[in-house]
Amino acid sequence: MIRYAKISEIDDIMTITRACADKMIQNGIYQWNEHYPTKSAFLKDLERKELYVKQYEDKVIGTIVISTHMDDEYMPIEWLTPNGNSTYIHRVCINPTYQGMGYAQELMDYAEAYSRENNFKSVRLDTFSQNKRNQLFYEQRGYQRLGDIFFPKQSSHPFHCYELVL
């Protein structure tokens, strides 16, 4: 089941993101660190009603943010569709114990269906240039790579921006 997150689940979400960060670091991917993702970011997502969780049995095992807010970092990108009618995906993660079972696909299916049902023109996101697995994941879903942005607190490497036209 995918549903809105609850305030009481923020600590569980932070535990999952730390576990994901640790796994990425073990694989030489320095995408998430002590600066990202933050509890305050998830609290803001929750406040905006943009934070969703993947529940398996009675346990939260993953999360996704489906936002309509375009971050300033995205401004230089030449998107395929005009600004103002897109959703933005952030902080997709699945507890490492449950990775490889199709749950990230479910989260993305949900986000894309939500975007279509609400008449958005596209779905936009970014992923770390050193995370080849994520790049392949999004490209196989039909996302087109458009340009790079930087988050200096996370890495000196760029993040690739992608868009899926609906």
Side-chain angles (χ1 to χ4, degrees), residues 3 5-6 15 33 47 49 87 105 111 114 134 150 158 165:
R3 59 169 173 75
K6 301 174 190 167
T15 299
N33 58 28
E47 185 179 296
K49 298 199 179 310
T87 54
Q105 295 278 8
Y114 170 92
N134 276 10
F150 291 86
V165 177

Side-chain angles (χ1 to χ4, degrees), residues 3-166:
R3 59 169 173 75
Y4 279 122
K6 301 174 190 167
I7 187 78
S8 60
E9 295 167 330
I10 292 292
D11 288 339
D12 294 334
I13 291 167
M14 290 307 299
T15 299
I16 292 167
T17 59
R18 282 189 211 101
C20 289
D22 290 346
K23 183 173 181 184
M24 285 187 280
I25 289 167
Q26 289 170 7
N27 290 320
I29 301 168
Y30 299 92
Q31 177 174 346
W32 287 359
N33 58 28
E34 68 275 10
H35 301 291
Y36 187 87
T38 62
K39 187 173 186 174
S40 64
F42 283 117
L43 289 169
K44 189 181 230 180
D45 299 332
L46 188 69
E47 185 179 296
R48 290 180 176 163
K49 298 199 179 310
E50 297 176 342
L51 180 60
Y52 297 81
V53 293
K54 168 63 183 165
Q55 183 177 322
Y56 177 74
E57 295 175 348
D58 290 332
K59 188 176 187 174
V60 171
I61 63 163
T63 188
I64 189 170
V65 174
I66 307 170
S67 178
T68 56
H69 173 74
M70 181 171 159
D71 293 329
D72 290 342
E73 288 85 357
Y74 288 161
M75 294 305 282
I77 301 300
E78 292 191 30
W79 298 102
L80 300 171
T81 61
N83 291 338
N85 197 21
S86 298
T87 54
Y88 298 86
I89 304 303
H90 301 292
R91 296 179 277 290
V92 179
C93 62
I94 297 291
N95 180 320
T97 303
Y98 296 91
Q99 289 179 4
M101 299 177 183
Y103 296 124
Q105 295 278 8
E106 277 185 44
L107 287 172
M108 290 305 299
D109 289 345
Y110 183 89
E112 292 163 10
Y114 170 92
S115 300
R116 278 187 190 91
E117 289 162 12
N118 288 282
N119 299 310
F120 289 98
K121 297 292 182 206
S122 71
V123 179
R124 298 173 176 178
L125 55 85
D126 67 80
T127 194
F128 190 46
S129 61
Q130 304 304 296
N131 193 333
K132 303 299 183 198
R133 182 178 177 201
N134 276 10
Q135 291 169 49
L136 183 61
F137 175 78
Y138 294 120
E139 289 166 7
Q140 287 177 335
R141 296 187 68 84
Y143 285 77
Q144 295 180 56
R145 183 176 152 194
L146 301 173
D148 291 342
I149 58 175
F150 291 86
F151 296 104
K153 286 186 177 180
Q154 287 175 251
S155 175
S156 59
H157 295 286
F159 286 71
H160 300 322
C161 291
Y162 286 85
E163 186 171 22
L164 176 69
V165 177
L166 301 174

